[in-house]
Amino acid sequence: MVTKLEPGVVRIAHTRSGAEGSDEVVVAELDTKGVLVSWPRALGFVDASRLNDDDRQIPEPLILRDGDGWLTLAEGYTVGASASSLGHSLERLRYTRVIHTGVNGVDYVGVNGMTSEIDGLAKWAKLVPVTTQLMLGDEGKGIEGVSVVAKNLDSLPLGGPLDLQLETSYSHNPTPKGGVFTISTALLVRTRSPELASWQTHQQTHRMMQDLMCLVYGKPCGSRLISVMREDDQELPPTDERRYWRDAYQPSFGRAVDPDRRLTDDDNPLFFLDEANADRVAKWLSEYSYWSRPTWIAMSVLFHRTLPIESRLLQVAVALEALGYAIAERANPDKKVSGTYEALVKNIFDFLGYEPDAVVGKGGSRDSWCKAFNQAYKGVKHADNDLTEGREAWTRAREGLILIRCWFAAALGVSETLVTQRLREGRVGV
């Protein structure tokens, strides 16, 4: 069985791409930062010292092979080398990502496909590849058994420039553990491009999907890289649409969530995928250049539990300004966006077409809320203003995040009535 690419795995492998062209043995340790390569060198003190030169060129990518197969390590940099008068040294290199491949020497700077997994996605999309059914006796009397069936569903296209699709996945171990049979399921996010697109281009779309889930739940949703694919790195020449996908590991791929803060079965989204407009979902994914900045800034506050409340308010305020600016720019691409901070934030309310009670308060108004929010924002931004009281800062930051989530629901075609109902039910996030 091939070793999974995960923290704690240690691979003792032969190099296949050293600058010297020789076959050397290295130790590759996967951790929460990527992979650390320890490379023993039979070098004298002077030659070993040169490994620390600023212009030192390291193998990029570094290709390794051991009993479990090939590894391609990419995005690397040196972390220094030791030097010894005994003629032995140790060079250390760090790479930020690793792919379970290498026989064809492909660098994976560009890819044709990328797969990730995001917390909460299966519940939001209502796509689970397992169905259960009670088996009743004659005339419906008594339960004779339970049928559990695992079968992958058809892919669900969401659109966007990289043909983003949601694909179900499951695994089953036929041997029970502790008398318990289990079926593990997942819903994967997969992007495809007919031509090679940069790693970053694919990753951006997956980050948009992570932001999407965070906006939907109002809570941090973790994202993990699963695999990548290149048309020119297949096991066998393709005969149909099926392709061989390579396991990949990159800890910095998406924002990670502390284990005790991950979503639970009790967490519910503001709305579900089938309550949104499919065309608007595809449009939102396609307009990455407009929406990625405000959503990335806003959702980042969800992942930092120790962030001071003043800093939280600052980030939400910046995100609101960026969102108001993006709305104006999207409406008139050829016109320079201008206006005060409050005017930009009012663009969000104008887009919504209503004033959520969860934001402005019952009986409140857009204008009064924007003024109060701006005042609180200035209190933590400018030293010549009175510092905003902590509870006020927390309240305004929370309301600002709810406003961004309401905008997002409207952008995806979710009705005001549904959003208002769900907010009253307590789906306001953190």
Side-chain angles (χ1 to χ4, degrees), residues 134-297:
L134 294 178
M135 301 169 63
L136 303 178
D138 294 339
E139 299 180 358
K141 296 180 180 180
I143 299 175
E144 293 187 347
V146 177
S147 171
V148 181
V149 178
K151 182 180 180 181
N152 279 326
L153 308 175
D154 292 337
S155 299
L156 178 63
L158 293 189
L162 294 177
D163 188 27
L164 188 146
Q165 298 194 19
L166 304 183
E167 299 186 3
T168 58
S169 174
Y170 70 88
S171 60
H172 169 56
N173 187 347
T175 303
K177 185 175 182 180
V180 178
F181 290 88
T182 59
I183 299 176
S184 299
T185 67
L187 183 61
L188 305 177
V189 180
R190 179 160 284 177
T191 51
R192 298 283 291 267
S193 59
E195 303 296 331
L196 283 176
S198 71
W199 185 284
Q200 290 73 21
T201 298
H202 279 269
Q203 185 174 348
Q204 284 176 351
T205 299
H206 288 261
R207 284 183 171 176
M208 283 289 282
M209 282 300 298
Q210 184 179 21
D211 280 352
L212 187 155
M213 296 314 301
C214 293
L215 286 162
V216 163
Y217 283 94
K219 296 185 177 183
C221 299
S223 173
R224 297 161 295 283
L225 176 65
I226 302 297
S227 61
V228 290
M229 184 272 291
R230 278 186 61 130
E231 295 282 356
D232 57 359
D233 191 24
Q234 297 294 304
E235 293 288 316
L236 297 170
T239 58
D240 52 30
E241 74 283 354
R242 292 176 296 179
R243 296 293 184 272
Y244 193 85
W245 292 71
R246 309 288 182 173
D247 291 345
Y249 176 68
Q250 181 184 347
S252 61
F253 177 80
R255 288 174 292 206
V257 182
D258 294 337
D260 62 334
R261 301 188 69 208
R262 296 187 66 173
L263 289 182
T264 69
D265 292 337
D266 294 330
D267 291 315
N268 291 302
L270 183 61
F271 62 90
F272 293 91
L273 175 57
D274 59 7
E275 296 169 335
N277 182 292
D279 291 337
R280 290 198 181 187
V281 174
K283 181 180 180 182
W284 188 80
L285 290 171
S286 299
E287 295 179 344
Y288 176 87
S289 60
Y290 288 106
W291 314 125
S292 61
R293 179 173 178 175
T295 57
W296 185 258
I297 295 171

Side-chain angles (χ1 to χ4, degrees), residues 343-369:
L344 291 174
V345 176
K346 288 176 183 178
N347 288 339
I348 305 173
F349 285 96
D350 292 341
F351 183 95
L352 273 179
Y354 68 98
E355 300 171 356
D357 287 348
V359 177
V360 302
K362 194 168 185 179
S365 69
R366 176 198 70 171
D367 292 349
S368 61
W369 186 85

